[in-house]
């Protein structure tokens, strides 16, 4: 089984590591995603730009990465479709903490599903590399529009609908400043993503980030994917800070929430007999989400029993 860091969403997951370790984390995550894309688990036309050497992952890793991608995408689309009868349907925003080399924005653009604003944050070692790659490949750069500005040195990308900034999310005043610089509107419905990020931080920092999100955004979904049990201290902290909080382990999500047709499709892609290890691994990952719903648009959001 690969180390958890290999599936991490971004460099912040290596908060106590060197810049080289931060970069390695992102390389591993991108390689895992490309392995899934190559095998046909999912579609991503941009992840190959971030992978220097193609690596074939074991079927159990491919299936686990697919499950992670699938639950995030399904919940994100629920968010983007929430309040579909209102005039402000498209004025939603997404904030990705420790975004790493994720390419979700570019895929959403291709599908005509991108929100009003998509903001990504990570350490500068990561954002500088990402800015350079976006600048190098026209199929990514053109998605930003003619007004885009890219600074490889600062690790920044700014455009009308997409922004990339460097930030240490443990520094709450800096986090606030970056949010203002990104021109995020705290009154708009916001989807906040933290994949394999907060578990690596100390409890004080984690509490501060969740509290900040709860106080900052009155209408928001806080999405968390971590290698933890749903009833641990972090889950309890989310419940204290947010109006509604729900958690499920990934085995239950895979069996009950991911579309049955999609499960049947991907289960035919590779021979798979590691069921005991699969069950054990998925029970040690979970998705949790917390909801602030000042506008009353998230009644139908979440896991459906």
């Amino acid at each position: 089984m690969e180390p958890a860091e290999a599936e991490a969403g971004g460099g912040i997951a290596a908060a106590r590591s060197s810049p080289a370790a931060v970069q390695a984390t992102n390389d591993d995550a991108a390689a895992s995603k490309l392995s899934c894309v190559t095998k046909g688990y999912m579609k991503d036309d941009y992840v190959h730009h971030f992978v220097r050497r193609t690596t074939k992952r074991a079927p159990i890793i491919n299936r686990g990465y697919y499950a992670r991608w699938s639950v995030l995408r399904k919940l994100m689309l629920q968010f983007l479709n929430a309040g579909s009868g209102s005039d402000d349907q498209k004025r939603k925003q997404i904030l990705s903490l420790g975004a790493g080399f994720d390419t979700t924005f570019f895929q959403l653009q291709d599908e005509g599903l991108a929100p009003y604003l998509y903001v990504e944050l990570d350490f500068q070692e990561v954002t500088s590399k990402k800015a350079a790659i976006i600048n190098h490949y026209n199929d990514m750069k053109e998605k930003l529009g003619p007004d885009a500005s890219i600074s490889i040195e600062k690790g920044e990308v700014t455009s009308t609908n997409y922004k990339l900034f460097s930030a240490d999310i443990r520094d709450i005043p800096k986090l606030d400043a970056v949010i203002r610089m990104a021109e995020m509107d705290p009154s708009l419905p916001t989807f906040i993503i933290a994949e394999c990020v907060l578990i690596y931080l100390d409890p004080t920092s984690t509490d501060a980030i969740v509290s900040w999100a709860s106080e900052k955004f009155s209408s928001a979904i806080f999405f968390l994917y971590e290698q933890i049990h749903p009833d641990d201290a972090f889950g309890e902290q989310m419940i204290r800070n947010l109006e509604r909080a729900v958690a499920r382990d990934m085995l239950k999500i895979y069996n009950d929430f991911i579309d049955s047709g999609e499960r049947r499709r991907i289960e035919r892609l590779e021979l798979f007999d590691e069921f005991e290890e699969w069950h054990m691994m998925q029970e040690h990952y979970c998705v949790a989400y917390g909801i602030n719903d000042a506008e009353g648009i998230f009644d139908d959001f979440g896991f459906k029993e």
Side-chain angles (χ1 to χ4, degrees), residues 38 40 42 75 130 180 197 200 247-248 264 282 300:
T38 302
M42 65 188 74
L75 290 175
K130 189 168 192 175
R180 287 194 299 272
V197 172
Y200 291 92
R248 296 282 188 276
R264 288 193 294 270
Q282 293 305 293
D300 295 327

Short mmCIF file of all heavy atoms in Angstrom, two decimals, residues 38 40 42 75 130 180 197 200 247-248 264 282 300:
data_model
loop_
_atom_site.label_atom_id
_atom_site.label_comp_id
_atom_site.label_asym_id
_atom_site.label_seq_id
_atom_site.Cartn_x
_atom_site.Cartn_y
_atom_site.Cartn_z
N THR A 38 -5.43 7.08 -17.36
CA THR A 38 -4.92 6.19 -18.40
C THR A 38 -5.71 4.88 -18.46
O THR A 38 -5.96 4.34 -19.54
CB THR A 38 -3.43 5.89 -18.16
OG1 THR A 38 -2.70 7.12 -18.14
CG2 THR A 38 -2.87 4.97 -19.23
N GLY A 40 -8.82 4.58 -17.66
CA GLY A 40 -10.20 4.82 -18.01
C GLY A 40 -11.16 5.02 -16.86
O GLY A 40 -12.38 5.02 -17.04
N MET A 42 -11.49 7.78 -15.06
CA MET A 42 -12.01 9.14 -15.07
C MET A 42 -11.43 9.90 -16.25
O MET A 42 -10.49 9.44 -16.91
CB MET A 42 -11.66 9.85 -13.77
CG MET A 42 -10.16 10.06 -13.59
SD MET A 42 -9.69 10.70 -11.96
CE MET A 42 -9.92 9.25 -10.94
N LEU A 75 -20.41 15.72 -4.98
CA LEU A 75 -20.82 16.74 -4.02
C LEU A 75 -20.59 18.14 -4.58
O LEU A 75 -21.39 19.05 -4.34
CB LEU A 75 -20.08 16.55 -2.70
CG LEU A 75 -20.48 15.31 -1.90
CD1 LEU A 75 -19.60 15.15 -0.66
CD2 LEU A 75 -21.95 15.35 -1.49
N LYS A 130 3.14 25.29 -10.59
CA LYS A 130 1.84 25.20 -11.26
C LYS A 130 1.65 26.38 -12.22
O LYS A 130 1.17 26.20 -13.35
CB LYS A 130 0.71 25.16 -10.24
CG LYS A 130 -0.66 24.85 -10.84
CD LYS A 130 -1.67 24.52 -9.77
CE LYS A 130 -2.95 23.94 -10.36
NZ LYS A 130 -3.91 23.51 -9.34
N ARG A 180 -9.04 38.40 0.31
CA ARG A 180 -9.39 39.74 -0.18
C ARG A 180 -8.69 40.01 -1.52
O ARG A 180 -9.30 40.57 -2.43
CB ARG A 180 -8.98 40.80 0.85
CG ARG A 180 -9.87 40.83 2.08
CD ARG A 180 -9.63 42.10 2.89
NE ARG A 180 -8.25 42.21 3.38
CZ ARG A 180 -7.82 41.69 4.52
NH1 ARG A 180 -8.66 41.04 5.32
NH2 ARG A 180 -6.56 41.85 4.90
N VAL A 197 -5.17 17.53 3.90
CA VAL A 197 -4.45 18.75 4.25
C VAL A 197 -4.46 18.96 5.77
O VAL A 197 -3.41 19.00 6.41
CB VAL A 197 -5.09 19.97 3.55
CG1 VAL A 197 -4.47 21.27 4.05
CG2 VAL A 197 -4.91 19.86 2.05
N TYR A 200 -2.55 16.94 8.67
CA TYR A 200 -1.12 17.11 8.88
C TYR A 200 -0.79 18.33 9.74
O TYR A 200 0.37 18.55 10.07
CB TYR A 200 -0.41 17.24 7.53
CG TYR A 200 -0.42 15.95 6.75
CD1 TYR A 200 -1.43 15.68 5.84
CD2 TYR A 200 0.56 14.98 6.94
CE1 TYR A 200 -1.45 14.50 5.11
CE2 TYR A 200 0.55 13.80 6.24
CZ TYR A 200 -0.46 13.56 5.33
OH TYR A 200 -0.49 12.39 4.62
N ALA A 247 -20.40 12.94 8.37
CA ALA A 247 -19.19 12.22 8.00
C ALA A 247 -19.53 10.78 7.66
O ALA A 247 -20.41 10.18 8.27
CB ALA A 247 -18.16 12.27 9.13
N ARG A 248 -18.83 10.23 6.67
CA ARG A 248 -18.98 8.83 6.28
C ARG A 248 -17.60 8.28 5.94
O ARG A 248 -16.77 8.98 5.36
CB ARG A 248 -19.87 8.68 5.03
CG ARG A 248 -21.30 9.13 5.20
CD ARG A 248 -22.15 8.10 5.93
NE ARG A 248 -23.55 8.48 5.90
CZ ARG A 248 -24.11 9.32 6.77
NH1 ARG A 248 -23.37 9.89 7.71
NH2 ARG A 248 -25.41 9.59 6.69
N ARG A 264 -20.04 -0.36 -11.40
CA ARG A 264 -19.95 -1.54 -12.27
C ARG A 264 -18.96 -1.29 -13.42
O ARG A 264 -18.20 -2.18 -13.80
CB ARG A 264 -21.33 -1.89 -12.83
CG ARG A 264 -22.28 -2.49 -11.80
CD ARG A 264 -23.50 -3.09 -12.45
NE ARG A 264 -24.32 -2.09 -13.09
CZ ARG A 264 -25.31 -1.44 -12.49
NH1 ARG A 264 -25.58 -1.68 -11.22
NH2 ARG A 264 -26.04 -0.56 -13.15
N GLN A 282 -10.32 1.54 2.94
CA GLN A 282 -11.40 2.51 2.76
C GLN A 282 -12.08 2.90 4.07
O GLN A 282 -12.59 4.01 4.21
CB GLN A 282 -12.42 1.98 1.77
CG GLN A 282 -11.90 1.85 0.35
CD GLN A 282 -11.32 3.16 -0.17
OE1 GLN A 282 -12.04 4.12 -0.38
NE2 GLN A 282 -10.02 3.19 -0.39
N ASP A 300 -31.07 20.06 -0.06
CA ASP A 300 -30.95 18.78 -0.78
C ASP A 300 -29.50 18.36 -0.97
O ASP A 300 -29.22 17.42 -1.72
CB ASP A 300 -31.62 18.90 -2.16
CG ASP A 300 -33.11 19.11 -2.05
OD1 ASP A 300 -33.72 18.58 -1.10
OD2 ASP A 300 -33.67 19.82 -2.91
#
